[in-house]
Amino acid sequence: MASRLPLSKLHISKKLKWARNPYGDKWMVVLFSDDKKWNLDGPDGNIKFWHDLRKEPRSFFSRQSGGVSVMVWAAFGFNGQVGLAFLGGRQNSPKYIETLENNLMPFAENIGGRNSEYQHDNVPIHTSNATKII
């Protein structure tokens, strides 16, 4: 099995051009963030595993009433990081905006204000129209 997907010459040249692009001091105002949910009572969703067919299969309990989990959010930039924010309940655009206003915006104001560039993934609550306004 190949350890990576083959890249075309076009992809290679574009990746090299991006890597060699002198972004310079602009990295000082770029902010990155991510969130992570941990289930405290076992794995989420489908469970796939290999087992020895000669032995009795192990059984797993199924989660009742949604289980227990904790979700955290954090951000960092060239000049430091935002402390962990513990998020409560199911996340949606308004809750994400509140997280940004309470945690990211004060940090961003200290490193570049409105000139900051914010990078996050394409989760729907991150790309909603309401989120894009702030």
Side-chain angles (χ1 to χ4, degrees):
M1 178 179 284
S3 60
R4 60 181 165 69
L5 294 175
L7 295 175
S8 70
K9 288 185 180 190
L10 176 64
H11 287 136
I12 291 170
S13 67
K14 285 185 174 186
K15 283 180 174 280
L16 284 172
K17 182 180 176 185
W18 183 85
R20 291 177 178 150
N21 182 15
Y23 209 60
D25 291 341
K26 291 180 182 179
W27 284 115
M28 295 179 134
V29 294
V30 177
L31 302 172
F32 301 91
S33 78
D34 205 2
D35 46 42
K36 172 68 178 155
K37 182 180 104 171
W38 282 280
N39 294 313
L40 303 179
D41 60 349
D44 219 1
N46 296 329
I47 301 168
K48 295 181 181 182
F49 63 97
W50 291 97
H51 67 276
D52 189 340
L53 295 175
R54 297 168 291 183
K55 296 180 180 178
E56 285 292 316
R58 291 193 263 167
S59 61
F60 292 93
F61 67 92
S62 63
R63 178 174 284 133
Q64 300 294 323
S65 304
V68 179
S69 63
V70 63
M71 181 172 261
V72 296
W73 175 92
F76 69 93
F78 182 82
N79 293 321
Q81 71 272 349
V82 177
L84 286 179
F86 291 87
L87 310 178
R90 187 168 177 83
Q91 295 299 297
N92 55 28
S93 291
K95 285 186 179 181
Y96 182 63
I97 291 168
E98 184 179 326
T99 299
L100 295 179
E101 288 173 344
N102 293 338
N103 299 284
L104 183 71
M105 298 307 276
F107 179 71
E109 291 295 327
N110 289 330
I111 67 162
R114 293 285 177 193
N115 295 328
S116 297
E117 186 174 322
Y118 181 49
Q119 298 289 318
H120 54 169
D121 53 23
N122 285 325
V123 174
I125 65 170
H126 297 175
T127 59
S128 70
N129 288 333
T131 304
K132 289 178 184 177
I133 292 173
I134 65 163

